[in-house]
Amino acid sequence: MEKLRKLSVVIPARDEEGCIASTVQHLHLELSLKKIPHEIVVVDDGSTDRTWEILQECARMDEALRPIQNLGPHGFGRAIVRGLDVMTGDAAVIIMAVS
């Protein structure tokens, strides 16, 4: 069995300004402590709050974070597909942002 080169964590997000920074920071910390190579792809799915701005601020401090916007039709499933389309890992996990 081939060793995992990179785990992609895909997080669809819409109006998650209250919890997206802590979600990304805690996830990155846990994966780093376990020495799991990873990227965190957060798909902003048409947020009307500060989610996108917060993601960009976090990305400046965390090289593993890849925020993207879903500019097409919105929806949970579409956001997931957008994240899967841009991920670069050889395995994927989909999670929700949690407060």
Side-chain angles (χ1 to χ4, degrees):
M1 180 181 270
E2 192 173 322
K3 184 178 177 180
L4 178 69
R5 290 171 291 180
K6 186 192 300 183
L7 175 66
S8 295
V9 180
V10 176
I11 305 174
R14 184 174 182 139
D15 297 333
E16 302 285 355
E17 72 179 4
C19 65
I20 197 63
S22 63
T23 296
V24 169
Q25 291 163 355
H26 288 113
L27 179 61
H28 177 68
L29 177 63
E30 289 298 320
L31 292 170
S32 295
L33 287 172
K34 293 178 178 21
K35 298 185 182 345
I36 298 172
H38 64 280
E39 68 177 348
I40 302 169
V41 179
V42 180
V43 182
D44 182 351
D45 191 37
S47 294
T48 58
D49 63 3
R50 291 193 62 245
T51 299
W52 180 245
E53 290 82 14
I54 293 168
L55 286 169
Q56 292 189 330
E57 291 168 15
C58 291
R60 285 191 282 276
M61 297 177 281
D62 182 353
E63 70 285 347
L65 176 58
R66 295 186 53 213
I68 61 168
Q69 290 181 300
N70 179 19
L71 300 174
H74 301 295
F76 179 75
R78 289 181 170 121
I80 291 171
V81 169
R82 177 85 171 104
L84 294 173
D85 284 346
V86 302
M87 68 173 235
T88 60
D90 48 307
V93 174
I94 300 164
I95 67 167
M96 298 294 297
V98 293
S99 51

